[in-house]
Amino acid sequence: MNSLDQSYSMTLFFLSYFISAMASYTALDLGARLHYAKGRGRVFLLCAGAVSMGLGIWAMYFVAMLALHLPIAVEYDHLIVFFSIVLAVLSSALTLWIVSEQSMSKTRVVKGSVVIGTGIAGMHYTGMAAMMMNAVILYDWLWFTVSIFVAILFSMVALILTFQLRSVDPVEGLWRKIFAGLLMGASITGMHYTGMYATTFVAHEHMTIAVIPYDDSGLIATMIGIVSVLILVVTLASVYVDKQFAGKTLRVLESDQRYKSLFEHNYDGVIFYSIDGTQSVMNPAAMRLTKEQSLPLEKLKTMCISTDAELISTHFTNAVQGDARNCDITLTTREGCQLHLNMTHTPVFVDQQITGVFMIVRDITNKKEYEAKINYLAFHDSLTGLPNRRFVEQQLDQVIMEAQKTDQQVYVLFLDLDHFKLVNDSLGHDFGDLLLQEASLRLRECVGKKGTVYRLGGDEFMVILTDVTEREVSSMANEINETIEQAFFIHGHELYITTSIGISRYPEDGQDRSVLMRNADAAMYAAKDKGKNSFHLYVPNLEQAVNDKMNIQNELNRALARQEFLLHYQPQVSAKSGAIVGVEALIRWDHPERGLLLPDQFISVAEETGLIVPIGEWVLRTACKQNKQWQDQGLKPLRVAVNLSARQFLKQDFTQMIAEILHQTRLAPEYLELEITESSMIDVHRATQALKELKQLGVHVAIDDFGTGYSSLYYLKEFPLNRLKIDRSFVRDMIEQPSNQAIVSTIISMAHHLQMHVIAEGVETKEELAFLQEHLCEEVQGYLFSRPLPSEDVAFYLQAQKGVS
């Protein structure tokens, strides 16, 4: 066998390696970006990488063949050469496509390495098959196999590096790309020279070995030059694309950093869920909010009530289908803390495909609590905490609707605190507020679970009762009256007030809210007219009474200015001798249209409106002036008794006003007696102080209508009083009713033990007088002796008594 000698040019050897390394770097760089490229950009990178790598392999081969010196002429079959180029490009394209996939498994690495390795080997041995010369090629099969494994092994390492290049920093990745290119170039050249080591050229038997000057070196050099230019062009294009891609990559990185910043530092909680809801990623705010490190969708739903859990499931499903939704839910943490959250479900799109759901969670607990507080304040009274008028109007409408369906009765109770305005005026609004708070507590205790108490405003309250009988309503009204009239102890003051209650019924007294409330209000004023501290059921004629009361209120404002008031005087006589000892001044209203009106027709309205103060002052001044005139006429000096309202009595300057009137009318204090009722003792402390001042002034003080008010014996002992006045309700029918006799005798005995005189009013029969005389009652007044008289008639009465005496 005539083997041909082989020799290599080291310059061309290194050139072949350089070309293969440059082509490999370009191809692998483009391949690393294939994973992120889309559309046309992906096709371009795939084609450019395949051409660069395929032509690089081919160019390296023929540069290496130029480095080989044989003693014979060598030509190449152009068709086989072309086929070798196609084989190199296709194997490169397939390899780049493999490494561009989403994940790189061991199987994929092996497959890719085998493809590119066998492609390189196939191109090499196809190129060897294209050689035309007077010699045959023999292969050492061991080294032939080694050459293929060298190509596969080096390709595997290069592919792994290429896959890892996708996720590294661009600066660090540059050196790794260069290293991968050098490694891939080594696999190509290593395979070639290993394959050449396995190759033996054997000349034909009759051939003379000589150097043939003609071969295809020029053509090969030209083709290598063209390939090198192509690789250079692809490399430059790669650089350009890389620049563009780097810009996009930078923008992607910036976008990714902005996303991370938004996710990590967001004030709101953000949770990313996979489509099935089993996987979740939480930002720090979400972890702090929920006190959880991981929160799958099912676990989240267990932290909510069933309705909210269903809402979350529905909105999550809608988000998975591409529809963003927002809702408010309540969540309870493992520590038992209840949170109100606003939750937005937003689909996550990647490559126009929904890959998950963002759940943006905002803590609105404070907002909900603030809204609840605002809503509470809007429908509740800030002072007492009771539902207010706005609430009761809505509630009563609803109660009426339910009563229509169930055919039940509804009771509406209107309550007004008697003399409350007096407390406000005399003690101040702070005391009034405390009194309202205490009264509201008592009302709640009385009503309990049978109904609801509302505050309409001022001292007006309302109660709605359902599913009760009229007897139960009356019993509750009585209980309220009895409870409210008990003493209120506020900041050292003992206060006494009462309440008047009006009651209307559905459907008898009205079938809508406004009518029921209006009729209950009318019934309440009827209770006040009965003497307060009572209740009254609505009857149809009450509306006219309310209208009359409003007319009287309007006319009272003009009565003083028009001097329409006058005084009548009822004599008070000694029960023992029958001599007149005093008179009681009683106001009358000479109404221009209605005629002479008695006090019970207008005094209650005057008290409610506050006009009782100027009217009462007029009465005091007129009575004192008249008494002084009688004395100046030479008539017997006697005391004049004037009734006081609670509003007058508790005025801060009341004692000073009395002193001024006495000074102006020149009436001695001992000839003035002030009659106050027990109900005027709203503030016992203030009342005691005022009575002591009047005592020092020398004015007489009597308790009027004794036994009908609070009757606190302890404070009665402390009060500096001159007389007790027995109410006419006890004197009337006293002879027929033993109980009244017992009350009257007890009052007389008690007064005497307290060193006070007693005067009984309403005496109309001799039998009544005899009983009073028997029990040592000092003074009496009533129709048995005289009706109230005008001042002129009193003068004649006194003159007549003077003549008798």
Side-chain angles (χ1 to χ4, degrees):
M1 183 171 58
N2 190 11
S3 299
L4 300 179
D5 294 330
Q6 304 177 37
S7 61
Y8 291 91
S9 168
M10 294 306 295
T11 302
L12 293 177
F13 168 79
F14 286 110
L15 177 60
S16 67
Y17 174 71
F18 175 75
I19 291 175
S20 63
M22 183 176 66
S24 298
Y25 168 82
T26 303
L28 294 176
D29 180 46
L30 294 175
R33 280 178 276 147
L34 269 174
H35 173 71
Y36 302 100
K38 307 296 179 185
R40 294 180 179 178
R42 182 178 177 86
V43 174
F44 169 78
L45 291 176
L46 182 61
C47 294
V51 170
S52 176
M53 190 169 187
L55 292 180
I57 295 171
W58 183 86
M60 188 275 335
Y61 170 76
F62 280 101
V63 168
M65 293 307 293
L66 285 178
L68 174 66
H69 295 287
L70 292 174
I72 59 175
V74 179
E75 295 182 4
Y76 291 90
D77 186 323
H78 295 166
L79 182 60
I80 297 177
V81 169
F82 178 75
F83 178 73
S84 67
I85 295 174
V86 172
L87 183 62
V89 171
L90 289 178
S91 62
S92 299
L94 182 58
T95 303
L96 293 176
W97 177 78
I98 291 173
V99 299
S100 68
E101 289 302 299
Q102 182 70 25
S103 60
M104 179 62 77
S105 63
K106 293 180 180 180
T107 302
R108 191 178 294 276
V109 170
V110 172
K111 288 181 180 179
S113 302
V114 170
V115 169
I116 188 63
T118 56
I120 294 171
M123 179 269 155
H124 171 81
Y125 290 109
T126 301
M128 295 294 291
M131 296 178 67
M132 296 184 297
M133 54 186 173
N134 290 324
V136 294
I137 301 176
L138 300 177
Y139 294 103
D140 184 331
W141 291 106
L142 174 62
W143 287 105
F144 176 85
T145 303
V146 170
S147 68
I148 295 176
F149 275 103
V150 167
I152 293 174
L153 180 62
F154 279 91
S155 297
M156 183 181 295
V157 176
L159 289 181
I160 293 173
L161 289 174
T162 303
F163 182 77
Q164 293 177 346
L165 290 176
R166 301 190 310 194
S167 58
V168 299
D169 181 82
V171 176
E172 181 185 351
L174 175 63
W175 296 105
R176 297 183 70 171
K177 279 188 246 180
I178 293 174
F179 178 71
L182 294 174
L183 195 60
M184 182 65 83
S187 70
I188 297 170
T189 55
M191 179 274 150
H192 174 78
Y193 288 108
T194 303
M196 293 304 295
Y197 185 76
T199 303
T200 302
F201 296 94
V202 180
H204 294 154
E205 291 184 10
H206 304 290
M207 175 183 172
T208 303
I209 300 175
V211 177
I212 308 296
Y214 175 77
D215 57 24
D216 285 342
S217 299
L219 177 60
I220 293 174
T222 301
M223 293 181 70
I224 290 172
I226 294 173
V227 168
S228 299
V229 170
L230 285 174
I231 294 174
L232 181 60
V233 169
V234 171
T235 302
L236 293 175
S238 172
V239 171
Y240 173 77
V241 171
D242 187 61
K243 182 178 180 182
Q244 298 297 318
F245 185 79
K248 291 182 180 180
T249 302
L250 182 60
R251 289 193 292 272
V252 169
L253 289 174
E254 291 176 351
S255 177
D256 183 62
Q257 291 175 1
R258 285 193 293 268
Y259 161 75
K260 286 185 178 179
S261 178
L262 181 64
F263 185 81
E264 296 292 335
H265 304 290
N266 200 325
Y267 179 78
D268 296 329
V270 182
I271 309 174
F272 172 79
Y273 282 103
S274 59
I275 290 181
D276 58 4
T278 57
Q279 299 179 2
S280 64
V281 180
M282 307 173 69
N283 74 341
M287 294 180 185
R288 289 193 300 269
L289 193 61
T290 62
K291 304 298 188 293
E292 300 289 343
Q293 298 298 316
S294 177
L295 195 60
L297 192 63
E298 289 302 319
K299 183 177 181 180
L300 172 64
K301 291 192 290 185
T302 62
M303 300 170 69
C304 308
I305 59 176
S306 57
T307 54
D308 286 348
E310 292 176 4
L311 193 61
I312 291 173
S313 294
T314 302
H315 285 5
F316 187 87
T317 302
N318 290 331
V320 170
Q321 295 172 355
D323 187 12
R325 293 295 181 91
N326 180 273
C327 63
D328 291 344
I329 61 105
T330 301
L331 179 144
T332 303
T333 66
R334 66 173 66 185
E335 299 172 352
C337 179
Q338 192 175 74
L339 301 174
H340 297 283
L341 305 176
N342 176 263
M343 190 172 287
T344 301
H345 298 74
T346 304
V348 178
F349 287 90
V350 176
D351 296 337
Q352 300 180 344
Q353 297 292 324
I354 297 176
T355 60
V357 173
F358 270 132
M359 190 178 289
I360 303 172
V361 182
R362 175 169 295 179
D363 187 359
I364 57 171
T365 303
N366 292 337
K367 178 184 176 183
K368 285 290 185 181
E369 291 175 352
Y370 182 74
E371 289 176 351
K373 184 177 180 180
I374 293 298
N375 185 67
Y376 179 86
L377 293 176
F379 290 97
H380 288 77
D381 173 48
S382 59
L383 178 64
T384 63
L386 295 174
N388 60 14
R389 178 180 289 273
R390 182 182 300 175
F391 190 97
V392 74
E393 289 176 350
Q394 295 182 2
Q395 188 70 17
L396 186 53
D397 286 338
Q398 184 176 346
V399 169
I400 291 173
M401 289 177 61
E402 292 176 356
Q404 288 175 344
K405 299 175 182 178
T406 57
D407 196 26
Q408 288 184 336
Q409 278 194 320
V410 178
Y411 289 87
V412 175
L413 283 66
F414 255 54
L415 300 87
D416 180 272
L417 300 181
D418 305 322
H419 305 304
F420 172 75
K421 292 180 181 178
L422 178 59
V423 175
N424 258 355
D425 294 343
S426 60
L427 299 179
H429 290 282
D430 291 341
F431 274 87
D433 290 346
L434 293 173
L435 181 59
L436 285 173
Q437 290 175 341
E438 181 64 27
S440 68
L441 291 176
R442 294 188 184 185
L443 287 174
R444 280 176 171 172
E445 291 177 359
C446 289
V447 175
K449 296 181 179 180
K450 297 178 181 178
T452 307
V453 183
Y454 307 84
R455 184 189 176 200
L456 302 181
D459 61 328
E460 292 184 342
F461 296 85
M462 179 173 158
V463 177
I464 298 178
L465 300 173
T466 58
D467 195 23
V468 291
T469 64
E470 188 168 312
R471 176 178 293 182
E472 290 175 322
V473 175
S474 300
S475 176
M476 180 178 291
N478 271 322
E479 184 182 354
I480 291 174
N481 286 137
E482 294 172 359
T483 301
I484 295 297
E485 72 177 355
Q486 301 302 315
F488 290 84
F489 295 92
I490 300 176
H491 288 348
H493 290 257
E494 184 176 348
L495 305 178
Y496 288 92
I497 61 171
T498 56
T499 182
S500 299
I501 305 172
I503 305 172
S504 65
R505 298 154 295 183
Y506 169 87
E508 292 93 332
D509 303 329
Q511 298 189 9
D512 61 61
R513 164 173 48 87
S514 59
V515 174
L516 282 174
M517 292 179 69
R518 183 173 67 248
N519 290 342
D521 191 38
M524 181 191 71
Y525 280 106
K528 283 184 176 293
D529 290 340
K530 287 198 314 182
K532 304 181 177 63
N533 197 28
S534 62
F535 68 91
H536 197 286
L537 286 169
Y538 174 79
V539 291
N541 61 355
L542 286 181
E543 292 183 356
Q544 183 60 44
V546 172
N547 292 333
D548 292 343
K549 193 171 186 178
M550 292 183 62
N551 293 332
I552 289 175
Q553 179 178 334
N554 294 331
E555 294 169 351
L556 272 176
N557 291 314
R558 301 188 295 268
L560 266 177
R562 295 177 179 179
Q563 298 181 350
E564 295 176 357
F565 294 114
L566 54 91
L567 292 181
H568 284 185
Y569 303 89
Q570 186 173 33
Q572 298 174 334
V573 301
S574 170
K576 183 177 182 180
S577 65
I580 186 170
V581 294
V583 294
E584 181 181 4
L586 301 171
I587 190 171
R588 302 290 187 266
W589 183 4
D590 188 10
H591 195 281
E593 298 176 359
R594 305 186 186 191
L596 197 65
L597 300 181
L598 298 180
D600 58 359
Q601 295 176 278
F602 63 88
I603 285 298
S604 62
V605 178
E607 288 181 345
E608 291 172 13
T609 59
L611 288 172
I612 193 65
V613 174
I615 291 175
E617 185 175 348
W618 176 87
V619 171
L620 275 167
R621 192 178 301 279
T622 303
C624 291
K625 185 178 180 181
Q626 182 62 65
N627 197 9
K628 179 60 177 172
Q629 286 179 356
W630 287 331
Q631 292 180 13
D632 292 343
Q633 293 173 7
L635 298 176
K636 176 184 176 181
L638 47 78
R639 69 178 184 270
V640 59
V642 178
N643 291 286
L644 292 180
S645 70
R647 190 179 291 273
Q648 285 177 282
F649 181 60
L650 294 179
K651 278 179 62 68
Q652 295 285 350
D653 59 348
F654 173 72
T655 306
Q656 182 181 353
M657 180 195 70
I658 296 296
E660 290 177 356
I661 289 177
L662 291 173
H663 174 73
Q664 292 169 2
T665 59
R666 296 180 295 108
L667 180 69
E670 61 267 25
Y671 296 117
L672 174 64
E673 183 171 83
L674 300 177
E675 293 186 357
I676 60 175
T677 62
E678 289 178 273
S679 59
S680 298
M681 305 298 182
I682 296 173
D683 182 356
V684 176
H685 176 77
R686 286 282 303 277
T688 303
Q689 184 64 31
L691 289 174
K692 289 180 179 178
E693 292 175 357
L694 290 174
K695 187 72 173 179
Q696 293 175 356
L697 195 62
V699 174
H700 289 248
V701 180
I703 289 290
D704 193 13
D705 302 333
F706 184 79
T708 62
Y710 310 119
S711 299
S712 175
L713 298 182
Y714 172 78
Y715 285 106
L716 184 63
K717 176 178 70 71
E718 296 298 318
F719 287 160
L721 302 172
N722 300 97
R723 284 175 183 77
L724 288 183
K725 195 170 188 180
I726 301 175
D727 186 66
R728 71 183 69 227
S729 64
F730 299 126
V731 176
R732 185 187 305 118
D733 301 328
M734 182 175 57
I735 303 305
E736 291 78 11
Q737 296 184 9
S739 59
N740 278 8
Q741 293 180 15
I743 292 173
V744 171
S745 61
T746 301
I747 292 175
I748 295 172
S749 175
M750 180 187 65
H752 288 164
H753 281 87
L754 293 174
Q755 306 299 315
M756 286 187 288
H757 291 277
V758 180
I759 180 171
E761 64 176 351
V763 180
E764 298 182 357
T765 67
K766 291 181 180 180
E767 290 80 8
E768 292 171 351
L769 176 61
F771 180 87
L772 293 169
Q773 288 173 333
E774 180 183 352
H775 289 82
L776 304 177
C777 177
E778 288 88 356
E779 299 171 2
V780 293
Q781 72 179 83
Y783 286 178
L784 179 63
F785 304 97
S786 174
R787 291 176 177 273
L789 304 172
S791 59
E792 299 83 1
D793 294 347
V794 173
F796 287 121
Y797 191 102
L798 292 174
Q799 190 66 40
Q801 277 214 343
K802 181 180 179 182
V804 172
S805 61

